[in-house]
Amino acid sequence: MHRRQLILTGLAAAPALAMGACATRPAANPNYPVGSDRTARAYSAEELIAAGSRELGIAAEAVGGAIERIFADQGDSPTAYIAGEEASGAAVIGARYGRGALHMKDLSASQEVFWQGASVGWDVGGNASRVFTLVYGLYHPDMLYRRYPGVEGSAYLVAGLGVNYQQADGIILAPIRTGVGLRLGANVGTMSYSRQRNILPF
């Protein structure tokens, strides 16, 4: 009888223990989107033009021309953008390193992000530039961190700004760069995005 009473007492206490465990469970990371894995609020052209003009330090008209071209190519629903700076150099084989902040509407704060890439082509020189990248198909910040091949033939100039496309697993990145000059060819290669700085660009 004593054993039976102990079992019944333990069963009766189990719901209370479970409720207590739920009550003390740590809160979810506030930096993560609250939407489902396949939904995220998109940025409008007006929001991106204002942010791009501020981050790149140039007139809204110039940024607007580049963003209009990207919208015409990729659609009007980018779910994130990255604002930052980068440096690059090349002597046929090129390397590019950057650092910036990822912004999504469902994030409580921006997240730091690094990128590094390599290219091969008829390209010699070096430069530093600001970068404003439109991101399509990103529904969770962790999905960003991977390698992106450049889309062949995508590099072009709009109002003196360099634009090219990178794509992997349904995510499309459209970096807009200032100070590109004649180094636009180096933008076409591979680019890896990571949570910390990596020395090797490959």
Side-chain angles (χ1 to χ4, degrees):
M1 183 67 69
H2 180 66
R3 181 179 179 186
R4 183 180 179 184
Q5 288 177 341
L6 288 175
I7 293 174
L8 292 174
T9 301
L11 290 174
L17 291 173
M19 292 180 64
C22 291
T24 58
R25 182 179 299 169
N29 188 334
N31 284 335
Y32 278 61
V34 295
S36 68
D37 288 344
R38 299 299 300 173
T39 60
R41 291 186 291 166
Y43 286 93
S44 67
E46 292 75 16
E47 290 173 316
L48 292 169
I49 290 170
S53 176
R54 180 181 66 251
E55 299 291 347
L56 295 176
I58 59 177
E61 290 77 9
V63 179
I67 289 176
E68 287 177 5
R69 171 65 185 269
I70 294 170
F71 272 33
D73 290 345
Q74 305 297 335
D76 58 358
S77 57
T79 56
Y81 70 85
I82 302 170
E85 299 178 340
E86 67 179 25
S88 62
V92 180
I93 297 176
R96 184 181 299 274
Y97 296 91
R99 176 181 180 179
L102 171 68
H103 299 263
M104 297 182 72
K105 284 193 171 183
D106 287 336
L107 289 177
S108 62
S110 62
Q111 291 191 6
E112 188 175 43
V113 59
F114 297 87
W115 60 92
Q116 46 280 321
S119 64
V120 177
W122 297 101
D123 185 50
V124 177
N127 75 317
S129 59
R130 294 185 179 182
V131 186
F132 185 77
T133 301
L134 275 59
V135 185
Y136 288 84
L138 184 71
Y139 305 108
H140 192 287
D142 285 350
M143 297 169 61
L144 176 70
Y145 303 113
R146 65 187 72 205
R147 182 182 302 278
Y148 295 84
V151 178
E152 184 176 357
S154 69
Y156 53 83
L157 287 169
V158 178
L161 301 174
V163 179
N164 76 293
Y165 299 129
Q166 303 153 5
Q167 182 173 355
D169 299 328
I171 300 174
I172 298 174
L173 307 181
I176 303 171
R177 294 182 172 91
T178 63
V180 176
L182 298 178
R183 297 213 62 250
L184 187 62
N187 295 345
V188 181
T190 63
M191 196 73 67
S192 296
Y193 288 76
S194 57
R195 296 177 179 85
Q196 62 278 326
R197 169 74 68 211
N198 292 326
I199 301 301
L200 294 178
F202 306 103

